[in-house]
Amino acid sequence: MTRYLVLLGPPGVGKGTQAKILSERTGLAHISSGDLFRENLKNQTELGKMAQTYMSRGELVPDDVTIAMIRQRLSRPDCAVGAILDGFPRTPAQADALDAMLQEFKGCVDAVPFITAAEDVLVERLSGRWTCRAHGHIFNEKFNPPQKTGVCDFDGSELYQRDDDKAETVKRRIHVYLEQTSPLIAYYRDQGKLIEIDGMHSIEQVSQSLLTALKMQSS
Ligand code: AP5
Ligand code: MG
């Protein structure tokens, strides 16, 4: 059955971490809008260079280009089984566009896990995050350290700290989330799709809560 899930939650709450785990355990494709922008920047595409001007300030990339990028990604064959959307939608306009897009693919948003954590925890997690250059695997120097400092456990590539994880940019991102993305909580709650997940526990405990709430079998 084709399933589309939207992972909602503030910066640093663990959307990327949980999306990767859910994707491995369920076979659903993982679509991260932030990773797609960063991949474009790595390849020095016009989209990547444009997105970077917003990302470095902690602002949202304009809706039209973001929506077009996600539409293209959803059209790829690996999404035929469904997808976990991580970081998209982030505005009411993006949520409307997603509903319209999924209708074209004969689907709809099935469930919206909304992961929560206290703001000081978000800041602490982001300040210790290390990301792999090759495939975006996510580590944390305190909560999920790699076996060898600075090296990805999965593909041996270099780990780096994201530019937008600087303290003042993190503050801006949280502010932008509260202002522009938090209206989606009511949007999906009103549709009966929102599932609140307490993100204050360990990575594995949060994964278990997600799998249980979504009633998905771990493979
Ligand atoms: P994006 O890359 O999506 O960043 P974000 O939403 O700010 O979220 P993060 O990736 O920072 O956090 P996360 O929730 O994925 O947490 P993670 O799993 O890494 O977007 C970046 C930028 O791109 C935006 O600011 C914007 O400019 C642009 N953009 C993206 N999408 C857009 C859109 N739709 N529209 C417009 N612009 C868009 O975990 C964080 C850390 O915590 C890691 O170190 C991890 O190991 C650790 N951790 C995770 N879970 C736990 C746990 N349970 N316990 C302890 N540590 C944990
Ligand atoms: Mg992320």
Side-chain angles (χ1 to χ4, degrees):
M1 191 181 70
T2 312
R3 266 192 111 172
Y4 296 100
L5 307 177
V6 167
L7 282 193
L8 197 59
V13 79
K15 301 181 298 296
T17 300
Q18 295 300 335
K20 279 189 192 300
I21 295 170
L22 275 182
S23 168
E24 273 163 22
R25 295 190 192 174
T26 64
L28 296 174
H30 172 201
I31 301 182
S32 158
S33 42
D35 284 355
L36 289 171
F37 286 132
R38 282 183 286 275
E39 204 177 291
N40 270 279
L41 182 64
K42 194 165 80 177
N43 297 330
Q44 287 291 296
T45 69
E46 288 310 311
L47 172 65
K49 287 188 246 177
M50 185 277 287
Q52 172 65 2
T53 62
Y54 295 91
M55 293 169 83
S56 62
R57 296 197 304 264
E59 306 286 342
L60 295 185
V61 179
D63 282 338
D64 53 348
V65 284
T66 306
I67 290 165
M69 176 180 78
I70 295 293
R71 172 190 290 280
Q72 211 179 41
R73 179 66 187 87
L74 276 169
S75 316
R76 291 200 350 217
D78 63 323
C79 296
V81 289
I84 301 162
L85 290 146
D86 152 20
F88 181 93
R90 248 174 160 97
T91 62
Q94 292 182 14
D96 287 341
L98 178 64
D99 288 343
M101 253 184 255
L102 293 185
Q103 259 182 11
E104 284 173 37
F105 296 115
K106 308 268 179 276
C108 65
V109 172
D110 293 283
V112 181
F114 167 42
I115 313 176
T116 57
E119 189 167 325
D120 58 334
V121 170
L122 304 176
V123 173
E124 188 186 18
R125 287 181 184 175
L126 290 177
S127 69
R129 172 166 60 187
W130 290 82
T131 305
C132 113
R133 286 251 183 243
H135 301 103
H137 295 110
I138 304 163
F139 298 87
N140 190 287
E141 58 194 35
K142 190 164 170 190
F143 305 113
N144 182 26
Q147 282 168 16
K148 193 170 163 206
T149 305
V151 180
C152 178
D153 289 354
F154 302 101
D155 56 36
S157 78
E158 180 202 12
L159 300 180
Y160 74 101
Q161 290 197 287
R162 276 171 45 180
D163 272 353
D164 61 347
D165 282 346
K166 286 195 285 272
E168 70 272 26
T169 318
V170 164
K171 254 198 212 153
R172 182 72 197 141
R173 284 161 57 201
I174 293 174
H175 179 81
V176 166
Y177 164 80
L178 292 172
E179 217 172 42
Q180 300 188 50
T181 306
S182 68
L184 298 186
I185 300 166
Y187 178 84
Y188 287 120
R189 184 181 282 130
D190 290 349
Q191 295 179 22
K193 293 178 179 172
L194 200 81
I195 304 170
E196 287 202 40
I197 302 286
D198 183 355
M200 296 286 281
H201 302 289
S202 72
I203 292 173
E204 185 52 35
Q205 282 171 315
V206 175
S207 301
Q208 284 309 323
S209 305
L210 275 165
L211 286 163
T212 305
L214 293 165
K215 298 186 183 59
M216 284 172 145
Q217 293 296 315
S218 171
S219 58

